[in-house]
Amino acid sequence: SGRAGLVRAVLPCVDDRNFPAVLSDRLSTGLLRDELGFDGVLVSDALIMSGFVSYRTYEKRMIAMVNAGIDVMLWPEENIFDLVEKAVSWGDIPVERIDEAARRVLEMKFASGVMDKSPLPDDLPEEEYASVSNRIAEKGTVLVMDRNNVLPLKQGEVKKALVVISDLPDKLAAMAKPEEDKRFVHIFKGLRERGVSDIEIKLGGNCLDLLDAELKGARYDAVIYIFAEAQPYAIRPSVATMELVWQMSNTIVHNAVAISLYTPYISKENPITPAAVINACSSCPASQRAAVKLMFGEIPFQGKSSVDIGVDYHSIGEWDKIEYKSLAKEN
């Protein structure tokens, strides 16, 4: 619906050849355009996926895709322009097919306003672009939960911090200098600028590591988890990441701060965690700086989550109602 549609299905009832929609003129043109009257932009599914690459050869399926009615391609090979130009010159792709695709894309751009004059002129000073980037990041960085009032951290009082980094094991193994990793460099820089002089860094770990350290006497002014696992194909994190979700909850002394750089669902994985959870939604420098500012209360948490997390604290309230005399604190 609307001005753009993603094309990926196989419908044998329409095309008995069982071609995926990106290769089927009967689906993309016959059904969508001729029967249903859709005149918006047709966007392919990712052209690296098995439903597409199974049809060989590459050149044949690319030409067939254009002829089927696809206007915009996701992840084509770099030679697509030369291939299409050659196919047009040989008459394998009608030039009218290229013209109509271009028309639809331009109409969509005009309708969405992207063809309007940029609000930022070309000669704008570089610092103004940085200012816009920072404002966007600050509004997009969200405090999802802080039920134990962990935040804000107090500048001048946080000298020693534990920073635990979560990522896939192979990426952690290749991480020789975490403080120089572009995904975290501005977080570490921001901590040091705010007086955090003693930073202990741990890469991964199991769910008992922090508790074991506490029982051995380890104490920190702040414990910060950076969840850096990108999840392009699944909402649920890996087991390695879940170990640290549990680790920051399995504690008797520290209440952690968690910064999730990509997935917004860390708090959903354990809604009873005592940690304060921040969704940065990006590892770009502006988002890293915003996360640090927000941790130290330098700017307010004003962002809204892009997804409905819906953390339910009912079980916490019910658990807190249970009391035992033998565990009561002495007056």
Side-chain angles (χ1 to χ4, degrees):
S1 63
R3 297 201 173 265
L6 181 66
V7 178
R8 63 186 299 173
V10 172
L11 292 177
C13 61
V14 177
D15 190 343
D16 57 10
R17 300 170 299 179
N18 285 339
F19 287 177
V22 289
L23 295 177
S24 172
D25 56 329
R26 299 178 191 176
L27 277 168
S28 296
T29 299
L31 177 61
L32 286 176
R33 297 211 186 279
D34 297 342
E35 292 189 36
L36 300 179
F38 179 75
D39 194 36
V41 175
L42 289 185
V43 183
S44 77
D45 197 2
L47 300 179
I48 59 171
M49 299 184 72
S50 59
F52 182 71
V53 300
S54 298
Y55 289 81
R56 304 182 181 219
T57 60
Y58 165 76
E59 291 81 3
K60 183 176 180 178
R61 67 175 182 264
M62 296 302 283
I63 294 172
M65 176 184 59
V66 174
N67 283 332
I70 299 301
D71 303 312
V72 173
M73 309 169 196
L74 298 184
W75 292 1
E77 298 293 335
E78 293 181 359
N79 70 342
I80 183 60
F81 300 103
D82 294 335
L83 176 59
V84 170
E85 183 177 1
K86 180 180 178 181
V88 170
S89 67
W90 279 80
D92 292 327
I93 298 177
V95 69
E96 293 81 12
R97 171 79 272 274
I98 305 301
D99 291 341
E100 70 179 21
R103 173 185 61 80
R104 292 192 183 100
V105 171
L106 288 172
E107 288 177 347
M108 181 178 67
K109 288 183 176 181
F110 276 111
S112 62
V114 298
M115 300 294 285
D116 297 342
K117 184 178 180 180
S118 170
L120 298 178
D122 294 338
D123 59 351
L124 200 67
E126 183 177 345
E127 56 268 20
E128 183 61 23
Y129 283 98
S131 176
V132 172
S133 175
N134 289 335
R135 291 201 300 271
I136 293 172
E138 289 170 8
K139 289 186 177 181
T141 305
V142 181
L143 178 63
V144 180
M145 60 191 299
D146 186 14
R147 62 185 179 86
N148 286 319
N149 300 314
V150 180
L151 298 178
L153 302 179
K154 292 181 173 58
Q155 188 168 335
E157 295 184 9
V158 181
K159 301 293 185 181
K160 181 179 181 181
L162 170 66
V163 177
V164 185
I165 297 176
S166 167
D167 206 338
L168 296 174
D170 59 331
K171 292 188 176 181
L172 292 177
M175 200 178 296
K177 297 180 178 180
E179 287 197 54
E180 297 179 8
D181 190 298
K182 64 181 182 180
R183 298 173 297 171
F184 326 128
V185 62
H186 295 283
I187 295 177
F188 285 108
K189 181 180 178 181
L191 292 174
R192 294 198 182 280
E193 289 174 346
R194 288 158 179 81
V196 187
S197 55
D198 184 1
I199 300 179
E200 179 182 341
I201 301 173
K202 290 189 178 295
L203 304 180
N206 67 52
C207 63
L208 293 176
D209 282 351
L210 180 55
L211 177 61
D212 287 343
E214 289 177 337
L215 294 174
K216 294 176 182 177
R219 296 295 184 268
Y220 306 93
D221 299 321
V223 177
I224 300 168
Y225 287 77
I226 303 176
F227 289 92
E229 180 187 348
Q231 299 166 259
Y233 301 121
I235 293 175
R236 302 302 300 273
S238 68
V239 172
T241 289
M242 282 306 304
E243 284 281 356
L244 296 188
V245 172
W246 300 323
Q247 183 186 119
M248 70 181 187
S249 304
N250 196 4
T251 172
I252 56 175
V253 177
H254 301 91
N255 288 340
V257 179
I259 303 173
S260 182
L261 299 180
Y262 302 111
T263 175
Y265 297 105
I266 290 298
S267 60
K268 193 72 171 179
E269 296 298 337
N270 188 357
I272 64 171
T273 180
V277 180
I278 298 171
N279 284 345
C281 303
S282 167
S283 63
C284 73
S287 292
Q288 294 180 48
R289 290 191 291 266
V292 176
K293 288 181 180 179
L294 290 163
M295 275 196 297
F296 283 89
E298 297 168 17
I299 54 177
F301 281 97
Q302 56 186 340
K304 295 183 179 180
S305 178
S306 58
V307 296
D308 182 11
I309 308 236
V311 176
D312 183 3
Y313 295 112
H314 175 72
S315 62
I316 299 173
E318 292 301 310
W319 179 252
D320 288 342
K321 292 177 182 178
I322 301 174
E323 295 183 358
Y324 298 102
K325 294 179 180 179
S326 61
L327 301 179
K329 293 182 179 179
E330 295 182 0
N331 295 325

